[in-house]
Amino acid sequence: MFDIDFVTPACSACYRFHDELKISTLPGVSGALHRCSSSLTDALFSIQEVVKLPLEFVRQLSIKVQHQRPAWRCDKVMDIYSGCALCLPNLTSPALHQPTHTPPLCIEIKPKCGFLPSPKHVSKDIKTKVCRYCMHQHYKVANGKWKRRSFYCPLDLFSGNRQRMHFAIKHLIEEPQNNFKVFKGGQCIYSSKEGSDESPDMNSLLHHLRPYFLHANNRMNCHVTCKAVLNDFIQVLVNALLSSGGGDGGVVADRQAEGRSFCEASIFNKERIRHGSRGLPTDSVLFRILQTQMLDTLDIEGLYPLYRQVEQHLQGFPKERTRLQIEGPYNEAFLEKLQKCPAEDDGSVEYAVAKVHQYRVAMTAKDCSIMVALVPSSEEEEDNENLSSQRQLRDFRPPAFSYSASILDLDPKPFDSIPRQLRLDQKIVTCYLRTGGALPKGPVREKEDCTLLFHPM
């Protein structure tokens, strides 16, 4: 059985990196990810394989998987008439994994937007203090999409500070919603169901994780606390997200000087930070995503007048949609429009189109997923040079893992979705202000620790 999302339109993209970044995509969206890091070269690009499928096969496939799709995805349907699909790897199972070894783990994270907008273009000051994700949580709970708010804050994950990142991932695990999933051997073992009253079974997750971390710090007994397993698991994820994908491994300065590095709704206590952060490594997966997100320099409020300018131009000159690449193709010419956008508005339709395209690419990066595949490294594997194409996360605690990281869900956001995005933004801000941004006063109480007891069979 496979997920419907593996059959995607030809504009989808993903990239994978091991010792060096290897991008697999059409250039438009991931090209922006690529260009945001000067340490990369064009030689790292490779094109995905587009395959033809019999129309009857696609029709039968659509029918077969429809009942397995979550309700919130059923308003979108598979294109059963194009006869084309992208051939994508199964990212939950690394290509170098040996089937006879311990099943690999794969973690899917939707990091969301990692910065606050500039006050220059927003009408509500709250948007410069509280991130979109944290405000959106109030709106989703108020509308019944989720029963409980998540205390995850993207600005903590994108901070580059290990304490804040650990804190962010911990809250993703506690309330994953559709932003965090864990796979073992290709099967999903941990996720949330939309609208469910039940919390995901973390004890079950920890039972699955325990064998991978049993020998950390020379733990050779059967008494391993849940907290220890969880902490080791999170540390491995943080290491993978901060690890370089090649290049010079430089770091970018923390955004605190810009006043955009902390969200006032985050429950992370700034006073807990023991060591300052130099920021994200410039060749890390999070840095590339963040830099692409920051192509949105105007916020939806500042962008919308330019969208209206383009829309009115197209009403008078409908054939211009092709020249301006409103529906693509997302190729090198599209990427060039993003790069050559003037710094100041010169009133031209070309400027407006370029800013709209930048916003669409940024929105794609704000909604993408990271897939981190982890394969435990035995002592024999660590000495095997044949596995050098997968980076090794070696530390005394937690144990060593080989890993690969990928980015999915890079379908460019449609041009015509911008008015809907503006309406949603207004609803989210209004709801947050109406509810007073009610957040817990004081620090959130840590869950009591427990011990996993395993007896030999």
Side-chain angles (χ1 to χ4, degrees):
M1 188 178 74
F2 58 91
D3 194 299
I4 184 67
D5 291 331
F6 282 94
V7 182
T8 59
C11 60
S12 296
C14 70
Y15 74 71
R16 312 184 64 186
F17 68 88
H18 302 300
D19 276 349
E20 63 180 5
L21 183 68
K22 297 181 180 180
I23 299 179
S24 175
T25 181
L26 298 178
V29 176
S30 68
L33 289 162
H34 161 82
R35 293 297 193 274
C36 287
S37 178
S38 59
S39 64
L40 298 179
T41 65
D42 289 332
L44 295 172
F45 277 93
S46 60
I47 302 298
Q48 282 182 347
E49 183 182 2
V50 179
V51 296
K52 291 185 177 181
L53 297 175
L55 295 184
E56 179 60 20
F57 168 80
V58 178
R59 189 183 72 84
Q60 292 292 339
L61 177 65
S62 178
I63 294 172
K64 185 173 182 179
V65 302
Q66 184 64 25
H67 73 280
Q68 299 174 355
R69 303 180 72 195
W72 61 277
R73 292 298 297 264
C74 289
D75 61 330
K76 300 178 182 179
V77 296
M78 185 189 299
D79 182 356
I80 63 174
Y81 299 108
S82 70
C84 294
L86 287 182
C87 184
L88 302 173
N90 180 0
L91 299 174
T92 66
S93 184
L96 294 179
H97 170 64
Q98 301 298 318
T100 56
H101 294 173
T102 306
L105 296 171
C106 184
I107 299 88
E108 178 182 358
I109 298 175
K110 293 183 78 71
K112 298 299 184 177
C113 183
F115 71 99
L116 296 172
S118 165
K120 185 177 179 180
H121 302 288
V122 300
S123 60
K124 302 293 185 182
D125 186 53
I126 191 66
K127 292 175 67 173
T128 67
K129 299 177 180 179
V130 177
C131 77
R132 165 67 175 259
Y133 179 88
C134 289
M135 284 196 285
H136 204 173
Q137 284 294 301
H138 289 260
Y139 182 74
K140 288 181 176 180
V141 171
N143 286 274
K145 183 171 184 178
W146 297 105
K147 300 297 184 182
R148 297 168 298 278
R149 288 201 307 272
S150 167
F151 292 117
Y152 163 71
C153 180
L155 270 64
D156 290 329
L157 184 68
F158 281 98
S159 69
N161 179 278
R162 286 181 175 271
Q163 286 174 269
R164 291 178 66 186
M165 294 178 70
H166 189 285
F167 188 83
I169 293 173
K170 176 176 176 291
H171 286 288
L172 269 179
I173 295 172
E174 289 180 354
E175 200 65 59
Q177 298 185 357
N178 61 331
N179 301 311
F180 187 89
K181 295 179 181 178
V182 181
F183 300 83
K184 177 182 175 182
Q187 299 296 315
C188 185
I189 60 171
Y190 189 73
S191 64
S192 262
K193 292 184 179 180
E194 184 177 340
S196 173
D197 290 326
E198 298 181 1
S199 297
D201 190 351
M202 189 181 294
N203 283 333
S204 175
L205 171 65
L206 294 172
H207 275 268
H208 281 288
L209 294 178
R210 179 185 175 278
Y212 295 85
F213 300 96
L214 177 62
H215 303 297
N217 286 338
N218 296 317
R219 298 179 189 133
M220 299 303 293
N221 57 66
C222 293
H223 298 270
V224 182
T225 66
C226 292
K227 187 174 183 179
V229 172
L230 186 62
N231 284 342
D232 285 349
F233 174 59
I234 294 174
Q235 186 174 331
V236 166
L237 272 180
V238 170
N239 288 346
L241 292 173
L242 289 177
S243 294
S244 66
D248 57 12
V251 294
V252 62
D254 191 276
R255 300 185 305 284
Q256 188 168 0
E258 304 174 42
R260 300 164 71 181
S261 63
F262 275 100
C263 168
E264 290 188 2
S266 171
I267 61 175
F268 182 85
N269 186 347
K270 300 177 189 179
E271 296 178 359
R272 291 175 55 186
I273 297 179
R274 292 187 292 271
H275 305 288
S277 169
R278 297 177 61 198
L280 292 167
T282 55
D283 49 4
S284 66
V285 61
L286 287 177
F287 178 81
R288 291 192 177 94
I289 292 174
L290 179 62
Q291 291 301 104
T292 307
Q293 292 178 355
M294 294 181 76
L295 287 173
D296 173 16
T297 58
L298 302 177
D299 188 72
I300 183 64
E301 293 185 64
L303 188 279
Y304 186 71
L306 295 176
Y307 164 81
R308 288 288 297 147
Q309 179 184 344
V310 176
E311 187 182 46
Q312 290 168 5
H313 177 80
L314 294 176
Q315 289 173 355
F317 306 94
K319 293 184 179 180
E320 284 278 273
R321 295 184 78 93
T322 300
R323 181 181 73 85
L324 298 174
Q325 295 183 265
I326 301 302
E327 280 86 30
Y330 304 104
N331 52 18
E332 292 291 347
F334 179 86
L335 181 58
E336 189 174 346
K337 287 182 171 65
L338 301 183
Q339 294 174 303
K340 293 188 175 181
C341 178
E344 299 294 333
D345 187 354
D346 58 7
S348 67
V349 68
E350 284 74 16
Y351 171 84
V353 167
K355 297 307 291 185
V356 169
H357 286 339
Q358 285 184 343
Y359 176 81
R360 293 170 62 196
V361 170
M363 290 301 294
T364 297
K366 292 176 186 180
D367 202 35
C368 70
S369 291
I370 303 172
M371 302 285 279
V372 180
L374 302 172
V375 180
S377 299
S378 66
E379 293 182 4
E380 293 80 9
E381 288 174 331
E382 291 177 9
D383 295 330
N384 188 349
E385 294 182 359
N386 292 331
L387 292 181
S388 61
S389 61
Q390 279 195 316
R391 297 191 61 80
Q392 301 287 323
L393 297 177
R394 293 179 180 176
D395 204 343
F396 291 107
R397 177 186 183 187
F401 284 83
S402 298
Y403 80 96
S404 64
S406 314
I407 297 183
L408 346 169
D409 297 339
L410 294 182
D411 302 42
K413 299 301 181 183
F415 172 80
D416 297 329
S417 70
I418 290 177
R420 179 183 59 80
Q421 292 173 15
L422 176 65
R423 292 192 297 270
L424 178 60
D425 183 79
Q426 293 169 338
K427 291 177 181 177
I428 289 171
V429 174
T430 299
C431 177
Y432 188 80
L433 292 174
R434 185 179 67 246
T435 60
L439 290 167
K441 303 298 182 182
V444 174
R445 185 179 178 182
E446 296 283 342
K447 292 185 177 180
E448 292 185 6
D449 196 16
C450 59
T451 300
L452 296 178
L453 266 268
F454 289 81
H455 302 283
M457 301 294 292

